[in-house]
Amino acid sequence: MDKQLEVKLNQKINEVADKSDEIFKIIKSLDELKTHSDSFGYGIIIGRLYNSFYYQCRRILKRNPTSDEFNEFLDVLSKKQKEILNSLKLS
């Protein structure tokens, strides 16, 4: 993965914890989905990171990510999932 892209992705993972109040507000505002708040909250986080990954690829690399880069993104998420959940106290 391009180093600039990796740095941005790691910054976004850290920013997710800073936005936990917003995420919990979204979870609480959707009563029906609140039953599975861990899954739902994690989905919001992953959505934000996925969006950021694509945006940063277009901004930094001036193109969409390749399938190899996307697989590297998934590897980063896999390695960081406990950290993400722990930082948001969703686990």
Side-chain angles (χ1 to χ4, degrees):
M1 181 181 293
D2 181 89
K3 283 297 177 195
Q4 288 180 323
L5 185 58
E6 188 174 352
V7 166
K8 287 294 180 184
L9 180 58
N10 283 321
Q11 285 174 346
K12 282 295 175 182
I13 289 170
N14 291 331
E15 286 174 22
V16 166
D18 293 338
K19 299 288 185 183
S20 62
D21 289 343
E22 290 178 5
I23 293 167
F24 285 117
K25 286 178 185 176
I26 293 169
I27 293 168
K28 289 178 183 178
S29 71
L30 299 168
D31 292 341
E32 301 227 356
L33 295 172
K34 191 162 95 173
T35 318
H36 303 287
S37 62
D38 287 359
S39 310
F40 183 56
Y42 193 60
I44 292 169
I45 294 164
I46 297 305
R48 289 179 60 128
L49 293 171
Y50 177 77
N51 183 59
S52 179
F53 169 70
Y54 269 84
Y55 171 77
Q56 295 300 331
C57 280
R58 288 187 297 255
R59 188 180 75 74
I60 294 168
L61 305 175
K62 309 290 187 225
R63 61 173 171 73
N64 285 335
T66 64
S67 61
D68 286 340
E69 289 166 333
F70 181 72
N71 287 332
E72 290 172 354
F73 167 72
L74 294 179
D75 287 341
V76 170
L77 288 182
S78 178
K79 291 174 187 170
K80 298 273 190 169
Q81 64 184 334
K82 291 271 187 209
E83 179 182 335
I84 293 167
L85 288 172
N86 287 336
S87 69
L88 293 174
K89 298 179 181 98
L90 291 175
S91 59

